């Protein structure tokens, strides 16, 4: 199972991000700091409820499109984690614009790229000093980009969904480059497909419950090593082709 001392999760107020927080706060051994980022902490009722049953959860404000807030965020996270640093970053926040060829607009493409692609990269860059600062003897350091099988070029036989597919394919390229850049520093990076999951994004017809998907993902993340570095990995551990 995954081990983490201090971790940071984006889009943590609902869906997969919220469930990741729910399960990570109770990992054994218990993480010291779980930092849950969301756009509107005042309205994050589920997250707020969790803070009353655990002492390791911190809620921070982050709209991932607000790049001008990243430096301030880094200072805030630094104040929370101190010398422990961060050993796990989960770039989970995402948007899904399923636009066909006849529907898609420049704005659709740019909005999806901003949230699903640019933000994970720039947040990784911003928090990297804190990731480097964590004690790698105790835990392996990991950056997880929550991607999607729809970003796999070779698995795309159906077309469509231009903003979503393109932004996740580009995210996978970022995963590959970050993995190559940081492996020598003991930091691994993977893209992870959570499966088709019942959330606001996945919809009610999705076959998988969010707690099942997240428990499988956390188990899989516990076994990431240099062989899986830079890959797109299914929630159950299978490698997805590019
Ligand atoms: N569900 C699936 O079947 C499925 C399949 C493959 C991949 N995924 C991926 O899994 C991740 C989570 O998806 P989900 O199913 O949990 O979706 P969801 O229920 O729609 O939740 C999306 C999360 O992202 C946050 N978010 C969106 N834009 C943001 C922004 N600008 N700044 C900060 N947070 C932002 C949302 O916050 P707000 O509440 O503030 O909007 C929310 O917390 C996404 O990256 C998605 O692409 C999901």
């Amino acid at each position: 199972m995954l081990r983490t001392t201090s971790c940071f999760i984006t889009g943590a107020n609902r869906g997969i991000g919220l469930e990741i927080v729910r399960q990570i706060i109770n990992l054994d051994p218990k993480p010291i700091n779980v930092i849950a980022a969301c756009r509107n902490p005042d309205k994050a009722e589920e997250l707020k409820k969790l803070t009353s049953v655990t002492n390791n959860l911190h809620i921070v404000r982050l709209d991932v499109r607000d790049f001008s807030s990243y430096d301030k965020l880094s200072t805030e996270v630094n104040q929370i984690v101190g010398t422990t640093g961060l050993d796990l970053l989960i770039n989970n926040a995402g948007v899904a614009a399923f636009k066909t060829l006849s529907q898609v607009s420049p704005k659709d493409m740019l909005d999806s790229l901003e949230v699903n692609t640019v933000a994970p990269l720039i947040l990784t860059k911003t928090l990297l000093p804190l990731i480097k600062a964590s004690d790698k003897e105790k835990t392996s350091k990991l950056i997880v980009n929550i991607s999607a099988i729809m970003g796999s070029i070779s698995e795309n036989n159906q077309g469509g969904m231009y903003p979503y597919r393109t932004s996740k394919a580009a995210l996978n390229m970022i995963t590959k480059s970050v993995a190559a850049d940081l492996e020598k520093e003991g930091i691994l990076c993977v893209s992870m497909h959570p499966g088709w999951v019942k959330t606001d994004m996945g919809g009610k017809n999705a076959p998988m419950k969010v707690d099942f998907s997240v428990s499988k993902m956390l188990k899989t993340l516990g076994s990431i090593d240099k062989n899986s570095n830079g890959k797109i990995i299914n929630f159950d551990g299978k490698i997805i082709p590019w």
Side-chain angles (χ1 to χ4, degrees):
M1 189 42 102
L2 178 69
R3 290 166 73 103
T4 172
T5 305
S6 287
C7 62
F8 188 99
I9 303 122
T10 65
N13 56 307
R14 61 186 169 102
I16 290 168
L18 176 63
E19 184 62 26
I20 289 173
V21 170
R22 259 201 199 108
Q23 295 195 22
I24 280 190
I25 55 176
N26 291 318
L27 285 177
D28 184 16
K30 200 173 160 109
I32 299 171
N33 298 299
V34 177
I35 304 175
C38 60
R39 279 199 266 205
N40 196 337
D42 301 334
K43 291 190 179 157
E45 297 306 333
E46 295 299 318
L47 273 181
K48 283 197 280 185
K49 269 188 225 159
L50 290 177
T51 56
S52 62
V53 295
T54 191
N55 57 6
N56 59 354
L57 178 59
H58 311 265
I59 306 174
V60 298
R61 183 182 303 275
L62 175 65
D63 181 329
V64 297
R65 296 167 305 180
D66 185 5
F67 300 114
S68 66
S69 72
Y70 279 27
D71 283 347
K72 191 163 155 268
L73 174 81
S74 168
T75 306
E76 188 181 357
V77 175
N78 194 12
Q79 279 163 358
I80 295 169
V81 298
T83 52
T84 309
L86 275 179
D87 56 37
L88 175 65
L89 165 62
I90 303 184
N91 285 306
N92 163 76
V95 288
F98 295 143
K99 298 291 174 84
T100 63
L101 189 51
S102 60
Q103 295 166 334
V104 70
S105 69
K107 186 172 185 309
D108 293 330
M109 292 300 292
L110 292 170
D111 286 351
S112 289
L113 285 164
E114 187 175 31
V115 175
N116 294 352
T117 314
V118 182
L121 174 63
I122 303 303
L123 189 63
T124 296
K125 178 185 165 188
T126 303
L127 296 179
L128 190 56
L130 298 177
I131 298 172
K132 286 185 178 174
S134 80
D135 181 355
K136 86 168 175 196
E137 301 308 314
K138 282 190 199 152
T139 49
S140 60
K141 305 179 197 185
L142 188 57
I143 298 163
V144 181
N145 292 324
I146 301 292
S147 186
I149 198 166
M150 284 188 192
S152 163
I153 291 172
S154 57
E155 296 285 302
N156 179 7
N157 303 311
Q158 292 178 312
M161 302 177 178
Y162 285 86
Y164 192 64
R165 285 191 190 281
T166 309
S167 60
K168 292 296 190 183
L171 177 63
N172 294 339
M173 179 57 86
I174 287 168
T175 294
K176 183 84 179 166
S177 281
V178 169
D181 283 341
L182 299 180
E183 184 174 311
K184 57 187 173 304
E185 306 197 51
I187 302 168
L188 304 180
C189 180
V190 294
S191 276
M192 176 143 282
H193 172 54
W196 183 16
V197 185
K198 245 185 244 320
T199 61
D200 293 338
M201 185 187 292
K204 57 180 185 318
N205 292 331
M208 212 184 311
K209 285 191 176 165
V210 67
D211 55 345
F212 179 82
S213 162
V214 169
S215 67
K216 290 282 184 188
M217 284 199 285
L218 296 189
K219 187 161 179 266
T220 296
L221 290 175
S223 59
I224 297 299
D225 58 17
K226 287 184 178 180
N227 293 324
S228 36
N229 195 25
K231 305 252 167 75
I232 322 172
I233 304 170
N234 202 31
F235 64 91
D236 61 4
K238 292 195 187 81
I239 304 292
I240 295 175
W242 295 112

